[in-house]
Amino acid sequence: QAAALFEGRLRPTASSKEHPAQKPALFALLDGFSREDAREDPTQQWVSELAAEDKKLGLTPLPPLESGVVVRMEDKIEPETITSEVIGSRTLGLSHVYTVEPKEFHIILEDLRGSHSFNWQDVSFESAHVYVGIRVGRAGDRSFPQRLLIHRCEEEPLKL
């Protein structure tokens, strides 16, 4: 079973208080982003520019981070109810597997500071199903920009 592949690497992201009888979905996030040169990370120039900007503002620069991006999940709500509901938001890292409450979410691939989103999509997670998100793209190639592809595995629901 797919769950055995992820043994010991599950990270809970949502409580089951709303739907205690429903089993969570599994969401595996992988990084397939290709750099121009394995010795050079193209985000380093961007990070250096931000560090210089922070220094001018008197802020302590952020420590260097490897991936440069995160995946953010937000609760999806109807526009007419936005003033009466609280929007839940979770930040997920790549190369991990998460349990996810079975419902619809906005999924956003963004930079670490949340100031730039590369792409977003709405995904409806079904109970006990497996979903795989893969960050794809090639550094410096405008014809293959970085984005997050999400695929629902077509196997039978897991017996969690």
Side-chain angles (χ1 to χ4, degrees):
Q1 270 190 358
L5 296 173
F6 309 132
E7 186 177 325
R9 298 191 66 202
L10 292 178
R11 295 175 183 247
T13 63
S15 71
S16 57
K17 292 178 185 173
E18 291 180 36
H19 308 284
Q22 287 187 334
K23 295 177 181 176
L26 294 181
F27 189 26
L29 289 171
L30 307 173
D31 193 356
F33 184 70
S34 174
R35 293 182 171 40
E36 292 174 339
D37 184 338
R39 291 170 289 150
E40 251 182 67
D41 183 350
T43 60
Q44 289 307 312
Q45 179 183 354
W46 174 78
V47 170
S48 297
E49 290 169 2
L50 287 176
E53 186 179 314
D54 285 348
K55 187 175 181 180
K56 287 179 188 176
L57 296 171
L59 301 172
T60 306
L62 291 173
L65 297 170
E66 192 172 275
S67 72
V69 298
V70 292
V71 174
R72 188 164 37 96
M73 293 179 66
E74 291 182 345
D75 291 337
K76 184 175 179 191
I77 59 173
E78 298 302 319
E80 62 272 2
T81 61
I82 198 162
T83 58
S84 64
E85 289 191 33
V86 175
I87 298 175
S89 180
R90 300 155 193 85
T91 301
L92 311 176
L94 299 172
S95 302
H96 293 288
V97 179
Y98 299 88
T99 57
V100 177
E101 186 177 359
K103 66 180 191 177
E104 193 166 7
F105 289 97
H106 290 297
I107 308 293
I108 304 144
L109 179 67
E110 63 186 9
D111 65 20
L112 292 171
R113 294 185 182 214
S115 61
H116 177 74
S117 63
F118 299 100
N119 79 307
W120 67 271
Q121 56 195 296
D122 292 334
V123 178
S124 183
F125 289 93
E126 294 180 36
S127 178
H129 279 82
V130 177
Y131 297 79
V132 178
I134 305 173
R135 175 189 176 206
V136 297
R138 190 171 332 154
D141 186 347
R142 291 180 186 230
S143 65
F144 194 37
Q146 83 178 292
R147 60 194 174 116
L148 186 68
L149 299 177
I150 299 177
H151 174 75
R152 180 182 152 218
C153 297
E154 296 297 328
E155 60 186 42
E156 293 294 316
L158 296 172
K159 294 173 180 36
L160 299 173

